[in-house]
């Protein structure tokens, strides 16, 4: 039997009559974008703090930060996701757990997915930030301190601005990874892009069209991210330094 | 102004400084020299607490550097330091390099900081470069900016850690000229340097270090005319040959 291509499938009204199948795809795309972007914000904020702490001249702090990174980096994303979604609500104080479980299921899935993806990615961002800080000439820190700046001020005004510039390229690939990893969140039932694609297959038996559409959507996201980060890189380029003019 | 009293420092088993004692009086220029690895850079970094030390103490203007309760940031704000590799902040314009600590540490307002910065930039002959970034200047120019940056904090003394070692030969003099001028104005200075010509012209005293110990600590006349230790004699013989 030959495969029956039908690109018109996207314009058909969906089986449950809530718009077309194309609307499904866009709903999935929107969820993927919202999930990934919010997770990225968490990852950047937490990652920056943890990355800085890893370089802190304080045994306890740097140990805690290292433990954090190793934990989130070395447990598979899928396992972490199940932990946040299935296990943690049971371990929380009853009031909090119940409040979570009383929420609309889509919100539950979204929050668990966002937190999971955010923390998972934050460990990777932390490593990038740490390597950026370590790549700076050692004298920069001394120069800041010698002027009377405190250590936090030296990080804030002297080291981090350069460290972040250095790690824009590796952060680009982490940013891309957030979008790709977000597909894992379909396993807890969150209807993001990949899940919508699979649902479309179930309802229409048109897998090729569906997965081509999903692929194109992911590609489009990644092209936009890449352009955005390239723009960022150019914007923060320092004259006379590292390829700047 | 600076009193170094029996300072010793080690990294693990490796002894970097052994029982170093000396002092720098107000208005005095002291040159610290010695072979590489002799601990001179480490010693000067101990003065403003950038390097911790295990024994002894250092007092700068009466404040103990070693005491745990000393606010080192506050002390460093008034002790200028110039580094071998300039260490300007590459992401800031020259003007902002000079302004940062004035604003964040001394709490000067922006205009005052800019004005002060421009005054010292003018003094090192680089007023026209205020809008540029460090990477756009030559090494000699960057080092002069670094000196201006330290001076803008109104330091009570200046520490120089091999300020000309990373420079092309033709740029060394422009930096030494600025330092000489500073010395003539009566700035208290402690300079780690191999520039013996500078030491001869400008220094009041010369300290010679070897293997983490202060081997000679004498007036420059005595040091150059008649170094007491054999090690210093060898050092001078080699360094003054060319």
């Amino acid at each position: 039997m030959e495969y029956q291509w039908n690109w018109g499938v996207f314009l058909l009204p969906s089986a449950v009559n809530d718009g077309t199948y194309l609307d499904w795809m866009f709903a999935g795309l929107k969820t993927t974008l919202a999930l990934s972007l919010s997770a990225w914000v968490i990852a950047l904020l937490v990652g920056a703090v943890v990355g800085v702490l890893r370089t802190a001249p304080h045994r306890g702090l740097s140990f805690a930060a290292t433990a954090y990174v190793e934990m989130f980096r070395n447990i598979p994303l899928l396992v972490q996701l199940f932990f946040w979604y299935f296990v943690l609500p049971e371990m929380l104080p009853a009031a909090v757990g119940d409040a979570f479980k009383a929420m609309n299921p889509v919100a539950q899935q979204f929050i668990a997915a966002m937190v999971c993806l955010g923390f998972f990615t934050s460990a990777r961002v932390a490593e990038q930030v740490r390597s950026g800080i370590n790549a700076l000439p050692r004298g920069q820190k001394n120069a800041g301190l010698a002027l009377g700046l405190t250590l936090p001020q030296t990080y804030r005004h002297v080291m981090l601005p350069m460290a972040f510039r250095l790690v824009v390229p590796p952060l680009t690939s982490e940013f891309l990874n957030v979008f790709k990893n977000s597909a894992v969140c379909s396993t807890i039932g969150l209807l993001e892009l990949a899940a919508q694609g699979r649902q479309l297959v179930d309802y229409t038996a048109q897998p090729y069209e569906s997965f081509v559409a999903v692929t194109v959507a992911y590609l489009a996201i990644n092209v936009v991210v890449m352009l955005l980060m390239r723009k960022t890189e150019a914007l923060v380029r320092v004259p006379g330094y590292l390829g700047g003019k | 102004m600076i009193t170094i009293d029996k300072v010793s420092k080690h990294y693990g088993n490796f002894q970097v400084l052994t029982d170093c004692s000396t002092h720098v009086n107000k208005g005095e220029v002291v040159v610290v020299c010695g072979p590489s690895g002799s601990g001179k850079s480490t010693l000067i970094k101990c003065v403003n607490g950038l390097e911790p030390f295990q024994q002894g103490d250092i007092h700068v203007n009466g404040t103990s550097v070693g005491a745990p309760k000393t606010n080192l940031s506050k002390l460093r704000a008034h002790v200028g330091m110039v580094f071998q590799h300039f260490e300007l902040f590459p992401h800031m314009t020259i003007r902002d390099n000079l302004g940062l600590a004035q604003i964040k540490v001394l709490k000067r307002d922006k205009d005052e900081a800019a004005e002060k910065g421009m005054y010292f930039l003018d003094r090192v002959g680089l007023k026209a470069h205020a809008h540029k970034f460090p990477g756009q200047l030559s090494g000699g120019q960057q080092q002069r900016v670094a000196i201006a940056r330290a001076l803008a904090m109104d330091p009570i003394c200046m520490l120089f850690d091999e300020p000309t070692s990373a420079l092309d030969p033709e740029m060394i003099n422009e930096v030494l000229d600025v330092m000489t001028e500073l010395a003539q104005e009566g700035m208290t200075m402690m300079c780690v340097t191999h520039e013996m010509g500078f030491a001869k012209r400008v220094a009041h005293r010369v300290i010679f270090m070897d293997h983490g110990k202060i081997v000679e600590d004498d007036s420059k006349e005595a040091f150059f005319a008649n170094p007491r230790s054999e090690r210093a004699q060898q050092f001078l013989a080699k360094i003054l040959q060319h």
Side-chain angles (χ1 to χ4, degrees), chain B residues 79-98:
Chain B
V79 178
M81 184 153 200
V82 175
F83 298 87
Q84 183 175 4
H85 296 287
F86 333 133
E87 306 301 350
L88 297 180
F89 308 136
H91 59 291
M92 292 180 191
T93 60
I94 300 307
R95 184 192 148 106
D96 291 342
N97 260 280
L98 272 83

Side-chain angles (χ1 to χ4, degrees), chain A residues 137-151 153 157-159 161-162 165 238-241 245, chain B residues 45 48 50-51 73 76-77 79 81 83 87-92 100-101 104-105 107 133 135-136 149-150 153:
Chain A
R138 233 185 90 79
Q140 287 279 299
K141 180 175 163 188
N142 277 346
L145 293 177
L147 282 166
L149 296 171
T150 60
L151 187 61
Q153 282 178 323
H157 298 290
V158 176
M159 295 161 76
M162 280 316 289
R165 282 174 168 87
V238 171
Y241 193 85
K245 287 187 201 94
Chain B
K45 284 192 189 118
N48 62 355
L50 285 180
E51 289 280 355
S73 297
R76 289 169 184 149
V79 178
M81 184 153 200
F83 298 87
E87 306 301 350
L88 297 180
F89 308 136
H91 59 291
M92 292 180 191
L100 179 68
K104 299 290 170 195
V105 179
K107 311 287 177 205
F133 285 83
Q136 296 168 314
R149 180 174 71 178
M153 300 293 287

Side-chain angles (χ1 to χ4, degrees), chain A residues 23 34-36 40 83 85 111 117 130 135 139 152 158 161 167 170 176 180 193 203:
Chain A
D23 291 336
L35 170 66
S36 307
W40 182 241
F83 173 81
Y85 186 60
I111 291 173
L117 203 52
R130 177 181 74 104
V158 176
V167 299
L176 294 173
K180 292 184 278 180
L193 189 54
Y203 279 84

Side-chain angles (χ1 to χ4, degrees), chain A:
Chain A
M1 199 174 82
E2 211 166 290
Y3 185 74
Q4 295 291 317
W5 287 92
N6 178 16
W7 288 103
V9 66
F10 294 109
L11 299 176
L12 297 177
S14 76
V16 292
N17 245 327
D18 57 349
T20 61
Y21 286 116
L22 192 64
D23 291 336
W24 281 17
M25 293 307 236
F26 274 112
L29 180 65
K30 249 164 63 185
T31 305
T32 290
L33 287 175
L35 170 66
S36 307
L37 291 175
S38 49
W40 182 241
V41 171
I42 296 176
L44 274 185
L45 294 177
V46 178
V49 173
V50 175
V52 165
L53 290 183
R54 282 208 73 177
T55 66
H58 183 287
R59 278 244 178 105
L61 287 178
S62 66
F63 177 80
T66 307
Y68 177 94
V69 167
E70 294 308 336
M71 189 174 76
F72 282 102
R73 241 182 9 158
N74 293 324
I75 299 174
L77 180 58
L78 189 64
V79 176
Q80 291 189 33
L81 184 64
F82 286 177
F83 173 81
W84 287 104
Y85 186 60
F86 295 117
V87 183
L88 191 70
E90 307 297 332
M91 290 165 59
L92 291 171
V96 186
D98 288 346
F100 180 75
K101 283 181 262 181
M103 284 163 80
N104 149 11
V106 178
Q108 286 182 37
Q109 292 159 357
F110 188 88
I111 291 173
M114 174 181 82
V115 172
C116 170
L117 203 52
F119 282 120
F120 176 77
T121 311
S122 75
R124 308 177 56 95
V125 170
E127 279 304 274
Q128 305 295 358
V129 171
R130 177 181 74 104
S131 71
I133 293 171
N134 287 342
L136 298 174
R138 233 185 90 79
Q140 287 279 299
K141 180 175 163 188
N142 277 346
L145 293 177
L147 282 166
L149 296 171
T150 60
L151 187 61
Q153 282 178 323
T154 303
Y155 268 96
R156 160 74 185 78
H157 298 290
V158 176
M159 295 161 76
L160 285 179
M162 280 316 289
F164 271 111
R165 282 174 168 87
L166 291 178
V167 299
V168 171
L171 281 183
T172 305
S173 62
E174 292 308 330
F175 198 4
L176 294 173
N177 279 341
V178 176
F179 289 97
K180 292 184 278 180
N181 288 338
S182 70
V184 171
C185 301
S186 63
T187 53
I188 56 168
L190 186 69
L191 282 175
E192 43 66 73
L193 189 54
Q196 290 286 14
R198 209 164 50 211
Q199 186 164 251
L200 199 116
V201 177
D202 294 341
Y203 279 84
T204 65
Q206 297 288 349
Y208 290 175
E209 290 84 344
S210 165
F211 284 119
V212 166
V214 168
T215 306
V216 169
Y218 278 117
L219 274 176
I221 293 174
N222 285 355
V223 168
V224 172
V225 168
M226 251 151 54
L227 291 177
L228 212 77
M229 292 301 274
R230 206 171 289 172
K231 193 105 194 158
T232 310
E233 212 178 321
L235 215 67
V236 301
R237 193 165 283 169
V238 171
Y241 193 85
L242 282 183
K245 287 187 201 94

